[in-house]
Amino acid sequence: MHYYGLDKPYWERAWMYTIDTFFFKWGNSIPAVFGTHNVKDQIKTALGRTILLFTTSQIIIILIGLALGVKSAQKPGSLLDRTISILAMVTTSLPMWWLGMLMILLFVVYLGWLPITLYSQTAVSGWSNILKKMSLPVLTIVLVSFGGWSWIIRNIIIGTMQEDFIMVARAKGVPERKVIYGHALKAAAPPIVTMIIFAMIGSLSGAIITEIVFNWPGMGRLYWEALQLNAVRTMMALNYMFAFMTVFSMVLADILYGYLDPRVRVGAAARS
């Protein structure tokens, strides 16, 4: 009663709990989650696994999306451009958890390329087993998301290619490769960088259903188990952490936008 402050008035408990949460003093949860009662240890364990899976997948998605989007924008209406548009429409509409179950059914159950024991246990040891277990979820996440990224970047680049400075550069005889990568991509950097910031920071929150399908013990799985076990402190810490990351990504995107786009000025620069 004394440790959790239950012997104090409600207003004092609420105030102290708010202050502790704000300064990352999350304490211990009553039920053990991921083998420990300490909330920070729970999040450290889950966050590392989420970075390993979702952040890695997001980096691959960004690289593929940039490459295909720029290539598609160079020749609008080409076979590649139409293929990417169709892929974006089809893959984005696929539920990630449903495609994940199909991947397990195909590659694990029918083809037997991966041992089914990898997906019957929550945590595995050894880098070879970890990489094997990562392969299907990474492939699933990339398949669902790369088409949409390619299509969005393609539209951003096409819009930039219609600007006057691009026409002037082409009229001056600047090589097409330099026009694309030296002028158009640089001018389109602010919205693309903003997308990358939100995607990278958003990848740290994981995905509940996808992690349950692949039995991956990340941030989404931690939140689900905290709900199941009624670990209130863990849930509140995760909610605060997700809100903090969202606000941080917005502030970071605003600051970088001001540096990347000279037409945007904030704070003292705007007043001067």
Side-chain angles (χ1 to χ4, degrees):
M1 294 284 289
H2 178 71
Y3 178 80
Y4 288 103
L6 300 177
D7 55 346
K8 298 178 181 179
Y10 178 79
W11 68 268
E12 187 176 349
R13 279 183 280 159
W15 173 253
M16 292 305 299
Y17 188 70
T18 302
I19 296 300
D20 288 344
T21 302
F22 187 79
F23 288 101
F24 305 99
K25 298 177 181 179
W26 296 325
N28 298 326
S29 62
I30 297 177
V33 187
F34 283 8
T36 179
H37 292 274
N38 188 275
V39 176
K40 285 187 178 180
D41 290 340
Q42 296 169 6
I43 294 177
K44 285 178 184 177
T45 302
L47 186 60
R49 295 164 177 169
T50 295
I51 292 173
L52 186 63
L53 178 63
F54 286 94
T55 306
T56 302
S57 303
Q58 196 61 56
I59 292 172
I60 296 172
I61 291 166
I62 291 170
L63 294 176
I64 295 175
L66 280 170
L68 291 180
V70 172
K71 199 70 177 177
S72 176
Q74 291 179 359
K75 297 179 180 179
S78 63
L79 178 61
L80 176 64
D81 185 33
R82 294 197 298 269
T83 302
I84 289 175
S85 299
I86 295 172
L87 276 175
M89 180 181 63
V90 173
T91 57
T92 306
S93 63
L94 294 176
M96 194 178 295
W97 55 268
W98 176 78
L99 183 60
M101 290 192 292
L102 290 184
M103 299 290 264
I104 293 175
L105 189 65
L106 176 62
F107 292 105
V108 177
V109 178
Y110 288 157
L111 297 177
W113 290 2
L114 293 169
I116 198 168
T117 54
L118 284 177
Y119 299 98
S120 62
Q121 51 188 325
T122 304
V124 295
S125 58
W127 277 106
S128 60
N129 289 329
I130 292 174
L131 292 175
K132 286 179 183 177
K133 188 168 183 176
M134 281 179 59
S135 57
L136 280 187
V138 167
L139 181 60
T140 302
I141 296 168
V142 171
L143 283 177
V144 169
S145 305
F146 86 95
W149 263 82
S150 303
W151 191 76
I152 293 172
I153 291 174
R154 172 249 188 205
N155 289 341
I156 293 173
I157 298 295
I158 286 180
T160 307
M161 295 287 288
Q162 296 173 356
E163 297 288 343
D164 293 340
F165 68 91
I166 296 293
M167 298 179 184
V168 171
R170 282 175 169 167
K172 290 167 63 177
V174 176
E176 187 66 17
R177 183 177 180 84
K178 189 173 182 180
V179 170
I180 296 292
Y181 294 98
H183 294 76
L185 195 57
K186 184 178 179 180
I192 293 175
V193 169
T194 302
M195 288 171 54
I196 292 174
I197 290 171
F198 281 108
M200 294 299 292
I201 295 180
S203 69
L204 301 179
S205 61
I208 294 178
I209 302 179
T210 302
E211 291 182 17
I212 291 174
V213 167
F214 290 104
N215 211 0
W216 186 266
M219 294 290 281
R221 183 65 178 262
L222 175 63
Y223 197 93
W224 172 254
E225 292 197 9
L227 284 170
Q228 296 296 305
L229 298 172
N230 197 26
V232 177
R233 284 183 173 268
T234 302
M235 288 187 288
M236 291 299 296
L238 289 172
N239 286 330
Y240 174 71
M241 186 176 173
F242 296 153
F244 180 84
M245 289 190 300
T246 301
V247 173
F248 174 76
S249 61
M250 290 180 178
V251 173
L252 181 61
D254 277 344
I255 293 172
L256 288 179
Y257 214 106
Y259 282 105
L260 293 171
D261 192 342
R263 297 169 298 180
V264 177
R265 288 292 179 264
V266 293
R271 290 192 296 271
S272 60

